């Protein structure tokens, strides 16, 4: 990392962190916003409102239709949050950072303005606004993840920190809920979020690159306001060949650097099609989809769960809703530990690989691309397994019908979720070529979005049977197959290298 660019890098990092905390993942604070919508009698017919006023307890027959509409909105928004990452990831890869961020700002501003001017009579507009809010937020995250490339060996830590900030931004809706209880209208809060788009535009022009941040960084790399000067542009163009050379060396083992005829085979193995059809990609999609489905189902139904466990007591439901939203904020503190674990293990395995090379006993075979990938994959195994185990513990806690135990459920939920998305983004950056990151990230999220649609039929079944929780616990337990097979792949490559040596 060039010392002369450090102030610019830090400014980009800190403002990006603030952007992710304040805007990127606000959708997942849905539980807090839902409480406000219910207080405003959204999706309640006049006759149902009268029934609720005459009753001390919110009965299932009165709120069932209302809960279904709200869950349908969240299901649609969560689906769009994931599914649209594939086309937006393509836009990010094809049209670069500036275009992607301007699209994000447009969607986000439109969504916040629509929510600001909705009421109980126009509640159907939420079906439009919440998906737009989700798409804008995920684009903010995608364009910010590349900032990890500025910090070299701390790349995984930065990526997981940003994913944790994405989780923590759900606390924004808690702030809106608390302000609402202090007589600050929902309209005022969302108009403020709309006005913040001016800040997003300024950051896009001044502190973000027009293209992509390369990895590894070329010497004297600059972007944003500095890159508007012709001299800097010339420096960056002159550095491009050196960057490509560094990237090729990053992917090749010492044997491969001198093996020209094998370069074409390496390019084929690093093609987008080959990545998508690989076993590691398919297993990763299954791993993410199953765990994410349970998280989405829990977030979408936690209000109904708390209402049931609290016997309809609104004060208790409000208190637990606040507790749930507060724990969400600490996702930013949990996620970096996952990144630190990955970075430390990666550095450890890289040192071992160098030591082995010096002894002229190659740790990995001469098969193209496997040397650096195998080291990276080995560092991902503990993180993948730990995420599955945390999610399993979260599922088991949530299935026990004791309201006081939900505090532990909330803690396990935020820790496992922060590990989940940080692990997902880091795995894609380490296991596959960086030029396909936007498309692969988008495709993973899009495929997992299709699975997330199951949360609505599962909600229909869950009040009638505990089989949903049992089935999800079993499915999450089976996700341990993914880290096990990744570990097996690393072991297999190590054994092959011993034979080749």
């Amino acid at each position: 990392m060039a010392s002369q660019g450090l102030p610019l890098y830090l400014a980009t990092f800190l403002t990006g962190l603030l952007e992710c905390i304040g805007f990127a993942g606000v959708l997942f604070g849905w539980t807090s916003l839902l409480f406000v919508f219910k207080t405003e009698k959204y999706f309640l017919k006049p006759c149902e409102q009268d029934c609720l006023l005459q009753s001390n307890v919110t009965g299932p027959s009165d709120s069932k239709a209302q809960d279904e509409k709200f869950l349908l909105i969240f299901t649609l928004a969560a689906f769009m949050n994931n599914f649209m990452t594939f086309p937006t990831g393509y836009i990010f890869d094809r049209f670069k950072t500036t275009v992607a961020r301007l699209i994000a700002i447009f969607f986000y501003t439109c969504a916040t303005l629509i929510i600001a001017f909705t009421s109980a009579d126009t509640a159907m507009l939420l079906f439009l606004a919440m998906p737009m809010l989700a798409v804008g937020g995920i684009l903010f995250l995608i364009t910010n993840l590349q900032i990890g490339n500025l910090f070299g060996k701390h790349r995984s830590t930065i990526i997981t920190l940003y994913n944790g900030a994405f989780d923590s931004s759900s606390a924004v809706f808690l702030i809106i809920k608390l302000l609402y209880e202090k007589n600050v209208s929902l309209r005022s809060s969302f108009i403020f979020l709309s006005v913040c788009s001016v800040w997003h535009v300024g950051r896009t022009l001044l502190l973000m690159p027009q293209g992509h941040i390369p990895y590894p960084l070329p010497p004297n790399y600059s972007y944003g306001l500095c890159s508007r000067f012709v001299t800097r542009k010339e420096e960056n163009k002159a550095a491009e060949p050196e960057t490509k050379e560094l990237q090729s060396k990053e992917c090749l083992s010492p044997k491969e650097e001198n093996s020209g005829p094998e370069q074409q085979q390496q390019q084929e193995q690093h093609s987008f099609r080959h990545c998508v059809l690989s076993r590691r990609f398919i297993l990763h999609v299954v791993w993410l989809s199953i765990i994410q489905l349970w998280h989405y189902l829990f977030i979408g139904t936690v209000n109904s769960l708390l209402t049931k466990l609290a016997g309809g007591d609104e004060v208790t439901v409000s208190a637990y809703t606040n507790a749930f939203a507060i724990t969400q904020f600490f996702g930013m503190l949990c996620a970096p530990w996952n990144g630190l674990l990955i970075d430390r293990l990666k550095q450890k395995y890289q040192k071992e690989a160098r030591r082995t090379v010096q002894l002229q006993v190659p740790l990995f075979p001469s098969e193209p691309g496997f040397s650096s990938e195998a080291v990276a994959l080995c560092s991902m195994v503990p993180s993948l397994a730990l995420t599955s185990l945390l999610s399993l513990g979260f599922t088991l806690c949530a299935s026990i019908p004791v309201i006081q135990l939900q505090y532990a459920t909330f803690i396990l939920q935020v820790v496992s979720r922060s590990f989940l998305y940080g692990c997902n983004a880091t795995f894609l950056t380490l296991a596959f070529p960086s030029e396909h990151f936007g498309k692969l990230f988008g495709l993973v999220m899009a495929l997992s979005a299709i699975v997330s649609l199951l949360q609505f039929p599962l909600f229909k079944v869950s009040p009638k049977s505990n089989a949903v929780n049992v089935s999800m616990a079993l499915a999450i337990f089976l996700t341990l197959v993914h880290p096990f097979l990744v570990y097996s792949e690393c072991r297999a490559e190590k054994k092959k290298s011993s034979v080749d040596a």
Side-chain angles (χ1 to χ4, degrees):
M1 180 167 52
S3 58
Q4 55 185 306
L6 184 60
L8 177 63
Y9 297 171
L10 287 177
T12 302
F13 164 68
L14 293 175
T15 55
L17 191 63
L18 180 61
E19 186 171 78
C20 288
I21 292 174
F23 304 93
V26 293
L27 169 68
F28 298 101
W30 173 250
T31 305
S32 299
L33 193 62
L34 175 59
F35 189 88
V36 177
F37 288 150
K38 284 191 171 184
T39 304
E40 290 286 322
K41 304 297 187 294
Y42 281 42
F43 295 115
L44 277 182
K45 297 177 182 178
C47 61
E48 291 174 332
Q49 294 183 27
D50 294 338
C51 292
L52 289 174
L53 290 172
Q54 295 171 8
S55 174
N56 292 327
V57 178
T58 304
S61 60
D62 295 323
S63 60
K64 180 71 174 177
Q66 184 190 33
D67 285 340
E68 286 185 0
K69 284 189 176 66
F70 280 126
L71 180 62
L72 193 57
I73 290 173
F74 178 76
T75 302
L76 180 61
F79 171 79
M80 295 297 289
N81 177 78
N82 287 5
F83 187 78
M84 288 301 293
T85 50
F86 182 56
T88 54
Y90 175 80
I91 290 171
F92 174 62
D93 284 345
R94 176 68 178 83
F95 299 102
K96 309 301 189 288
T97 302
T98 300
V99 173
R101 285 185 59 83
L102 290 176
I103 293 173
I105 295 167
F106 172 77
F107 275 106
Y108 207 92
T109 306
C110 290
T112 50
L113 286 174
I114 290 171
I115 297 172
F117 291 98
T118 55
S119 63
D121 296 329
T122 58
M124 292 298 292
L125 288 173
L126 293 178
F127 281 96
L128 173 64
M130 297 309 296
M132 292 179 69
L133 191 72
V135 173
I138 197 66
L139 254 177
F140 281 142
L141 176 64
I142 291 174
T143 55
N144 279 310
L145 287 177
Q146 61 180 326
I147 294 174
N149 295 346
L150 296 173
F151 296 90
K153 64 181 180 179
H154 303 295
R155 185 187 186 196
S156 298
T157 304
I158 300 298
I159 290 172
T160 52
L161 180 63
Y162 272 25
N163 278 275
F166 178 84
D167 293 338
S168 296
S169 64
S170 59
V172 170
F173 282 170
L174 170 63
I175 296 172
I176 290 176
K177 174 181 177 290
L178 295 176
L179 290 173
Y180 177 81
E181 292 172 347
K182 297 294 183 181
N183 298 320
V184 176
S185 68
L186 197 64
R187 177 171 298 180
S188 300
S189 297
F190 276 92
I191 287 177
F192 174 78
L193 291 178
S194 301
V195 172
C196 288
S197 295
V198 176
W199 182 76
H200 296 311
V201 173
R203 183 169 180 270
T204 300
L205 298 177
L206 302 179
L207 292 175
M208 293 295 286
Q210 290 182 341
H212 293 143
I213 298 176
Y215 182 80
L217 283 181
N220 300 319
Y221 175 72
S222 64
Y223 55 89
L225 182 63
C226 295
S227 67
R228 302 298 189 272
F229 297 102
V230 177
T231 55
R232 284 297 190 182
K233 283 186 177 181
E234 290 174 354
E235 286 181 10
N236 289 342
K237 286 181 180 178
E240 282 179 6
E242 187 170 349
T243 303
K244 291 180 179 178
E245 183 181 350
L246 289 170
Q247 288 174 335
S248 63
K249 287 182 179 180
E250 182 82 3
C251 297
L252 293 172
S253 65
K255 285 184 179 182
E256 293 160 359
E257 291 181 14
N258 299 322
S259 57
E262 295 182 352
Q263 289 183 357
Q264 186 174 358
Q265 184 183 356
Q266 180 191 3
Q267 290 176 355
E268 291 177 359
Q269 292 200 349
H270 284 177
S271 67
F272 178 67
R273 182 176 180 274
H274 184 272
C275 292
V276 170
L277 296 178
S278 65
R279 186 182 72 172
R280 71 175 66 158
F281 181 82
I282 294 171
L283 286 174
H284 187 69
V285 171
V286 174
W287 176 84
L288 176 68
S289 300
I290 292 174
I291 299 177
Q292 180 181 256
L293 173 61
W294 170 243
H295 278 275
Y296 281 4
L297 180 63
F298 181 79
I299 293 172
T301 61
V302 67
N303 184 268
S304 302
L305 173 66
L306 294 175
T307 301
K308 180 181 177 182
L309 295 179
D313 184 358
E314 289 191 5
V315 175
T316 303
V317 173
S318 178
Y320 275 86
T321 300
N322 291 348
F324 176 64
I326 290 170
T327 56
Q328 298 298 296
F329 178 75
F330 291 97
M332 185 180 65
L333 302 180
C334 302
W337 292 103
N338 188 23
L340 285 170
L341 173 66
I342 297 169
D343 280 336
R344 291 292 175 87
L345 287 174
K346 185 180 177 184
Q347 291 170 25
K348 175 186 174 183
Y349 295 143
Q350 283 176 337
K351 288 180 181 178
E352 290 177 357
R354 292 193 198 101
R355 203 176 300 124
T356 307
V357 169
Q358 290 174 357
L359 295 173
Q360 296 184 346
V361 182
L363 182 62
F364 302 109
S366 59
E367 188 173 352
F370 270 87
S371 61
S372 63
E373 288 177 8
V375 170
L377 286 175
C378 285
S379 67
M380 286 299 306
V381 171
S383 179
L384 291 167
L386 184 58
T387 302
S388 294
L389 291 173
L390 286 169
S391 300
L392 180 61
F394 158 48
T395 309
L396 295 175
C397 277
S399 64
I400 302 174
V402 177
I403 194 167
Q404 291 80 6
L405 188 61
Q406 301 314 306
Y407 288 119
T409 303
F410 298 160
I411 294 171
L412 286 171
Q413 191 271 339
V414 71
V415 175
S416 61
R417 187 168 179 270
S418 64
F419 271 51
L420 175 66
Y421 290 110
C423 194
N424 172 51
T426 306
F427 181 83
L428 294 176
T429 59
L430 296 179
F432 302 100
S434 59
E435 63 265 24
H436 300 312
F437 172 74
K439 295 185 289 292
L440 289 173
F441 184 83
L443 184 58
V444 166
M445 300 303 285
L447 293 174
S448 66
I450 297 173
V451 178
S452 71
L453 292 174
L454 292 173
Q455 64 182 295
F456 191 73
L458 287 175
F459 172 74
K460 292 276 193 177
V461 176
S462 58
K464 303 175 184 177
S465 172
N466 198 38
V468 171
N469 289 344
V470 175
S471 300
M472 289 304 307
L474 178 61
I476 291 172
F477 177 76
L478 292 177
T479 61
L480 287 168
V481 171
H482 180 37
F484 175 77
L485 290 179
V486 170
Y487 177 71
S488 299
E489 184 178 338
C490 295
R491 288 287 299 270
E493 293 303 330
K494 187 175 181 180
K495 287 180 181 178
K496 285 181 182 178
S497 66
S498 299
V499 174
D500 293 342

